[in-house]
Amino acid sequence: MSTGSRLAHWSVVNIFGEAAVDLAAIRENTAALGEHARTAGLMAVVKADGYGHGMIPAATAALAGGASWLGVVAVAEAIALREAGITARVLCLMDDPQAPHAEAIGREVDLCVGALGTLARVTAAARSAGRPARVHLKADTGMSRGGATAADWPALVDAALAAQASGYLDITGLWSHLACADMPGHPSVPAQLAAFGDAVELAEKAGARPEVRHLANTAATLTLPETWFDLVRPGGGIYGLCTLPGGPPGWLRPAMTARTRFVQVKRVPAGSGVSYGHRYVTQAPTTLGLVPAGYAEGVPRSASGVAQVQAAGRRRTISGTVCMNQFVVDLGDGPAEAGDEVVLFGPGDAGEPTAQEWGEALGTISYEIVTAIGCQWPKSYR
């Protein structure tokens, strides 16, 4: 790689840290989830660059752990999996009427269809490709996001069956998505389950014979066996994460560790204001460590004065405002020097914070934390 190429590459990532990914954890999490939901197959969702863990390595590890399907959002992601030599079933979870459907059909990628307009475009693409499209019809059972509503579902099913009879598509799946599976006892869960049952019954009575019916995300895979049907679709769980209260069960292991290093360490007197706005003021003479990561690198500004890192032997709370490319931690009188490691989050083995703790501290979820970091930092694998 030329110097110019290296500079062009490093200009878009944080060169001071890494997102270290434990592929064995992904493999073992997949195997554990498959054993847990042993009455159903398992689709490992590897969208968003594998939740920031790297789509191709994550997919390979998940397949090694027993996944029989992979889930992505865009056709481009599915094509990248195919070009990496992955032949497992892949479903594009987004109903995108403008997607390159013919290319997906040619690569044997399954497509989500939740609207008549998309169905027409997929059918036309199949006609051009000279082979039937594999489609999963999506029902909106109460999330009000993608999919056909109860009012629109019969027309979608009828049109899909007509296209199937003409040889332009195969209805390979019927599916929907739960809005509140991570909120135990929420009344929407049984309501959506019943609505999905009605949608499946209508489609099957009309003549649909899908290979798989699927509804369960990570939270439902962990806690709601009545939602498993033929296939479960864990996303965060594959990476040792979940959005249930209290985080993932102990038998799931977080796969990512985000670590960087101090680029400067210095002593300052009592009363020193730290970072923008002087939100933090030192109470005594102390040592400050400068961490070369900020909101441009995926560390949320809302982590200011809230989130913890592990540095100089113990946890430290971020001191003051997170800047665009850096933040500061107060190290007290402990020994530290430039180059010392700083761990933002990891599996917690050595007492470091976890992505779950970061999410709770920031009022968000661990998924946002790992994707923000993982999609921008260089990754290493073991």
Side-chain angles (χ1 to χ4, degrees):
M1 182 184 292
S2 68
T3 301
S5 298
R6 286 197 300 269
L7 290 175
H9 171 68
W10 288 120
S11 67
V12 295
V13 295
N14 177 357
I15 65 172
F16 301 100
E18 67 171 4
V21 178
D22 183 350
L23 294 175
I26 295 176
R27 183 184 69 241
E28 290 161 11
N29 290 338
T30 304
L33 287 162
E35 175 61 24
H36 179 72
R38 57 188 177 276
T39 61
L42 187 144
M43 175 188 293
V45 180
V46 295
K47 63 181 183 177
D49 196 27
Y51 285 52
H53 294 68
M55 181 177 69
I56 302 301
T60 303
L63 291 170
S68 52
W69 287 74
L70 298 172
V72 297
V73 166
V75 170
E77 294 174 310
I79 299 305
L81 290 170
R82 290 289 185 250
E83 290 181 346
I86 291 173
T87 59
R89 288 295 180 203
V90 178
L91 171 62
C92 291
L93 297 161
M94 179 74 78
D95 177 347
D96 178 4
Q98 304 302 322
H101 298 126
E103 187 173 7
I105 294 165
R107 296 294 193 110
E108 296 190 349
V109 171
D110 288 39
L111 295 165
C112 166
V113 171
L116 285 171
T118 305
L119 181 65
R121 289 179 171 86
V122 170
T123 301
R127 188 183 300 115
S128 297
R131 63 191 304 174
R134 293 175 53 91
V135 303
H136 294 226
L137 300 181
K138 185 177 184 181
D140 177 1
T141 56
M143 191 169 182
S144 301
R145 201 172 65 175
T149 63
D152 295 335
W153 181 250
L156 180 65
V157 169
D158 288 345
L161 286 168
Q164 181 169 268
S166 298
Y168 295 129
L169 63 81
D170 293 326
I171 301 172
T172 52
L174 302 173
W175 75 293
S176 189
H177 195 62
L178 294 167
C180 305
D182 55 359
M183 302 170 68
H186 198 281
S188 71
V189 174
Q192 282 197 257
L193 180 59
F196 183 62
D198 291 343
V200 169
E201 182 179 16
L202 184 150
E204 292 184 340
K205 281 186 175 180
R209 296 293 180 265
E211 294 176 17
V212 287
R213 303 158 299 160
H214 48 106
L215 180 63
N217 56 9
T218 290
T221 299
L222 291 172
T223 63
L224 299 167
E226 65 271 27
T227 68
W228 292 349
F229 292 92
D230 304 307
L231 191 67
V232 295
R233 300 189 313 266
I238 297 298
Y239 312 101
L241 311 169
C242 82
T243 57
L244 285 163
W251 47 270
L252 291 179
R253 178 176 174 78
M256 182 187 292
T257 298
R259 56 188 176 219
T260 182
R261 57 184 172 82
F262 289 127
V263 292
Q264 185 180 28
V265 173
K266 62 185 177 185
R267 292 290 291 180
V268 298
S272 296
V274 177
S275 194
Y276 288 123
H278 284 184
R279 295 185 184 182
Y280 182 82
V281 178
T282 62
Q283 300 301 302
T286 192
T287 300
L288 300 179
L290 183 62
V291 180
Y295 54 82
E297 289 79 32
V299 180
R301 198 168 188 268
S302 58
S304 303
V306 176
Q308 292 186 325
V309 302
Q310 187 177 59
R314 65 180 180 84
R315 292 192 182 199
R316 316 277 180 170
T317 301
I318 293 175
S319 302
T321 304
V322 173
C323 307
M324 184 178 291
N325 305 106
Q326 53 201 304
F327 64 82
V328 178
V329 291
D330 188 338
L331 302 172
D333 294 321
E337 59 184 48
D340 285 354
E341 184 177 77
V342 179
V343 177
L344 278 67
F345 57 81
D349 296 343
E352 76 278 9
T354 63
Q356 175 72 21
E357 290 176 284
W358 267 64
E360 291 173 356
L362 274 57
T364 184
I365 58 175
S366 57
Y367 300 4
E368 181 178 359
I369 302 301
V370 296
T371 53
I373 295 290
C375 288
Q376 297 189 64
W377 290 31
K379 286 181 276 290
S380 65
Y381 296 96
R382 67 181 178 90

